Amino acid sequence: MGKKVLTGITTSGIPHLGNLVGAILPAIIASNRPGISSFLFLADYHSLIKSQDPELTHNSSFEIAASWLACGLNPNEVTFYRQSDVPEIMELAWILSCVTAKGLMNRAHAYKAATNINFEQGTSDLDKSVTMGLFNYPVLMAADILAFNADQVPVGQDQKQHIEMTRDIAARFNHIYGDVFNLPDAVISSEAGILPGIDGRKMSKSYNNTIPIFLDEKALLKAIRKIKTNSLEPGVPKDPETCTVFQLYKAFASISQIEEMEVRYGDGIGWGEAKDILFSLVEEKIKPFREKYSEIIKEKGYLENTLIEGSVKARQAASITLKDVRDAVGIKSFQ
Ligand code: TRP
């Protein structure tokens, strides 16, 4: 079967250019490599941690699934599924929570960030507004990974701690019950894959600075025009390295296009023109994806069937692990 590479996409919000360059395209390229079996899933149960809006949860799953397929993911080459269609994952989450030290979860970044906010606001109950979902988030993530005994987990830097926790939890289980789990490695996406958003900070839903992938042409131009630049006039040489427009351009351009643009910066290109050039390039790259997306989004039946087929494959793999896990803990048939 080769190496198992697994990654999840939380289904909250709509995918943006940062997701495209940092996650979607690299995962699709990696899934085509020989000797790799890819597991890609919509982490829809994870989305309940952040959102309690049923319509948003539902639509986001649908839009994200359509986005991956529109950008070229071939569902026959990978195992592409919804987390919620694989009940073995939830079952494993409980079993893992019974070997997970609470103290380990106390140290999770997402939980600590929530208690810090309470601390800074002088709230006496540091756990105010913290749900068990948020607290248990790393256990669910460990279950996502360990249900398939994945070898590698490509994630952003912010998720590295969760993979370390997954290893801790797996090692603890193996120590108590015998070797069932493989300890997975995180594969951290390179800095080069991180795009700035329109305000220059990392493009992220939480900063509200994203450029969605599937804007129409007009809205895309409008978003690109909003990118923050300094106030240097046309004719004054500009530094590409500190410029958001240039960083975005670089993510889509060829080496020769990048070099040409550097020369234009040295010559003092005006911001309006630089943004127009960026727009033309991004538009050229995403137009075929947008066309495909608008076809797929109309085909609810096709999307549903694709994900159901994916979940059949996923359940085959996960049920093998779960059988070993249940046997190991002593939950099994009397005969
Ligand atoms: N929590 C991850 C994120 O927010 C998404 C995710 C859920 C995931 N389960 C996973 C990633 C398992 C890798 C493996 O980005």
Side-chain angles (χ1 to χ4, degrees):
M1 198 181 204
K3 281 222 171 316
K4 285 191 229 168
V5 180
L6 175 143
T7 202
I9 313 112
T10 305
T11 52
S12 46
I14 46 171
H16 54 71
L17 294 183
N19 301 138
L20 179 72
V21 171
I24 301 179
L25 295 179
I28 293 175
I29 292 168
S31 73
N32 291 326
R33 262 188 229 130
I36 295 253
S37 50
S38 280
F39 292 78
L40 278 168
F41 70 96
L42 305 167
D44 48 2
Y45 274 133
H46 281 272
S47 78
L48 300 185
I49 298 170
K50 280 197 194 149
S51 161
Q52 296 180 337
D53 176 341
E55 206 168 323
L56 185 93
T57 298
H58 182 75
N59 291 342
S60 168
S61 263
F62 182 63
E63 285 161 8
I64 290 182
S67 305
W68 279 75
L69 296 173
C71 295
L73 182 73
N74 179 347
N76 300 320
E77 300 282 336
V78 302
T79 306
F80 184 49
Y81 56 99
R82 269 181 302 226
Q83 181 187 34
S84 58
D85 285 333
V86 184
E88 287 79 5
I89 296 171
M90 303 318 286
E91 195 179 334
L92 182 58
W94 173 256
I95 300 173
L96 294 178
S97 75
C98 295
V99 299
T100 302
K102 175 175 174 286
L104 182 69
M105 297 298 96
N106 287 343
R107 293 192 284 278
H109 295 320
Y111 171 64
K112 271 173 56 181
T115 55
N116 268 344
I117 291 174
N118 286 330
F119 178 76
E120 273 157 24
Q121 291 176 347
T123 313
S124 60
D125 177 8
L126 291 185
D127 281 333
K128 184 166 175 253
S129 308
V130 174
T131 63
M132 286 307 294
L134 176 71
F135 191 68
N136 283 335
Y137 166 19
V139 181
L140 182 54
M141 202 156 145
D144 291 331
I145 298 167
L146 299 176
F148 299 93
N149 265 322
D151 299 292
Q152 293 183 344
V153 186
V155 281
Q157 179 66 34
D158 61 323
Q159 296 291 319
K160 191 168 166 231
Q161 188 197 36
H162 293 141
I163 314 303
E164 284 159 5
M165 290 179 157
T166 299
R167 292 172 65 95
D168 280 353
I169 296 169
R172 181 89 195 121
F173 184 98
N174 289 350
H175 177 72
I176 301 171
Y177 294 113
D179 271 350
V180 172
F181 294 124
N182 172 52
L183 305 198
D185 289 315
V187 179
I188 306 296
S189 41
S190 72
E191 287 289 316
I194 296 178
L195 285 197
I198 50 180
D199 62 356
R201 294 185 292 173
K202 177 187 165 187
M203 191 180 289
S204 160
K205 297 186 277 239
S206 26
Y207 294 147
N208 205 7
N209 64 357
T210 65
I211 303 177
I213 307 176
F214 298 111
L215 292 175
D216 65 31
E217 211 176 321
K218 246 170 108 185
L220 178 65
L221 179 61
K222 212 169 141 197
I224 288 179
R225 291 245 162 93
K226 274 202 208 134
I227 297 170
K228 235 195 206 158
T229 50
N230 59 29
S231 53
L232 293 177
E233 298 286 333
V236 182
K238 299 176 174 66
D239 177 13
E241 284 319 308
T242 56
C243 173
T244 307
V245 176
F246 185 80
Q247 296 312 314
L248 286 167
Y249 187 76
K250 227 163 101 175
F252 293 92
S254 67
I255 295 182
S256 65
Q257 283 173 317
I258 295 172
E259 285 169 358
E260 250 169 68
M261 194 63 147
E262 276 167 345
V263 173
R264 300 289 318 270
Y265 267 65
D267 292 345
I269 190 172
W271 290 131
E273 195 185 348
K275 287 178 179 178
D276 284 346
I277 297 175
L278 170 64
F279 164 73
S280 307
L281 181 67
V282 176
E283 172 60 21
E284 177 194 321
K285 297 280 167 177
I286 66 175
K287 192 170 179 198
F289 298 154
R290 185 196 292 132
E291 284 169 358
K292 195 82 205 283
Y293 182 81
S294 67
E295 282 168 29
I296 295 177
I297 205 86
K298 285 186 254 158
E299 304 277 343
K300 282 211 160 156
Y302 163 74
L303 259 179
E304 184 63 27
N305 287 339
T306 302
L307 289 168
I308 294 291
E309 279 168 25
S311 74
V312 171
K313 286 195 268 178
R315 290 195 69 183
Q316 263 164 10
S319 57
I320 295 172
T321 316
L322 259 289
K323 163 106 181 46
D324 291 346
V325 170
R326 275 204 231 105
D327 279 352
V329 302
I331 306 249
K332 54 184 175 183
S333 156
F334 290 148
Q335 298 170 333

